[in-house]
Amino acid sequence: MIKGFLFDLDGVIVDTAVFHFQAWRKVAQKLGGDFTEAQNEQLKGISRTDSLKKIIEWTQAEVSVLQFQELQEQKNRWYLDLIGGLGPEDALPGAIEFLRRTYSQGILIALGSASKNAPMVLEKLGVTELFSAVIDGNNVINGKPHPEVFLKGAEALGLEPSECLVFEDSIAGVQAAKQGGMSSVGIGEAETLNANIHFESLGETTPELLAAQF
Ligand code: B16
Ligand code: MG
C-alpha cells in the first residue's frame, strides 16, 4: 500500500530544467563547444559535478581542478540569475494543486532532488510546509541513478521503499527509483523515461487514483 510520495523537483514540480539547460549551455560555449537538447536529457537529475564532467567530455576541453570548481560556481550563478524571479506561477501545470491534494489526503510527502538549490526553490513556490522531509543534493553522497536520495526520503518518512511512489522527469531518476525498489510515475515521454506510468504533467491525474493503482 502506498503511504508516501517522493517528488523530484526540477521538471516535475517546476519548470527549472530549462534554466539548468540554458546555464549549462553557457558553460559549454565558454569551453568552446555546445550540446543538444537530446544530450541535455542525460544531464537531467544528475548532480552539478557529474553534469560538468559530462560537458567536459562532450566539449573535449582541458580543465584544471581549479577551473572545474570555478565553472561549477559560475554555472550556479547563471542559474540563480535565471530563477531570480521564480514564483508559484512557474510551477508546472497542476503541480501545486496535486501537492496540496496529496497533503490533504494524508499521503506523506518528501522531496528527492539532486539540486542543492531545492529548499530555496520550494520556498519561492510557497510549498515548503507541505513537505514532511526534504532530501536534496546537500544530503546525499551518491547522485541519481544511485537510489540514495529516495531511500533517505522513504526513511525520513518512516516508510518502506515499497510504500513509496516516486515522481520523476529524468532517466537517471527513474533508474534510481527502480534500484531503490520503488515504483515510479514518469513526467514526460514514456519511451525516454521507462517509468511504470507516464503523464505530461501532474495535472492529468490525482493522488487518490495513483495511490490506489500502486
Ligand atoms: P544544482 P532534480 C537536478 O534537480 C536537475 O535536474 C539537474 O539538471 C541539476 O544538475 C541538479 O538538480 C543539480 O542542481 O546545481 O541546483 O545543485 O531534477 O533532481 O530536482
Ligand atoms: Mg528532475
Side-chain angles (χ1 to χ4, degrees), residues 18-19 48 75 82 106 122 136 145-146 185 190 199 208 210 214:
V18 60
F19 298 132
R48 206 179 300 170
K75 184 270 174 177
L82 288 165
L122 291 182
D136 60 40
H146 193 285
V185 177
F199 299 98
E208 305 91 291
L210 289 173
F214 285 92

Side-chain angles (χ1 to χ4, degrees), residues 68-143:
F68 190 95
Q69 194 52 35
E70 283 169 359
L71 285 166
Q72 288 195 91
E73 286 165 15
Q74 173 72 77
K75 184 270 174 177
N76 199 45
R77 283 195 296 275
W78 278 327
Y79 176 69
L80 292 178
D81 279 350
L82 288 165
I83 65 161
L86 201 79
E89 64 284 359
D90 297 299
L92 285 162
I96 292 184
E97 173 60 23
F98 189 94
L99 286 170
R100 292 216 177 102
R101 206 161 157 155
T102 302
Y103 185 87
S104 64
Q105 291 289 319
I107 299 167
L108 296 173
I109 303 177
L111 192 79
S113 167
S115 177
K116 292 182 172 170
N117 296 300
M120 186 189 64
V121 173
L122 291 182
E123 277 296 313
K124 283 176 179 281
L125 296 177
V127 295
T128 303
E129 68 283 358
L130 301 175
F131 287 78
S132 296
V134 173
I135 312 295
D136 60 40
N138 301 294
N139 315 119
V140 293
I141 296 164
N142 306 290

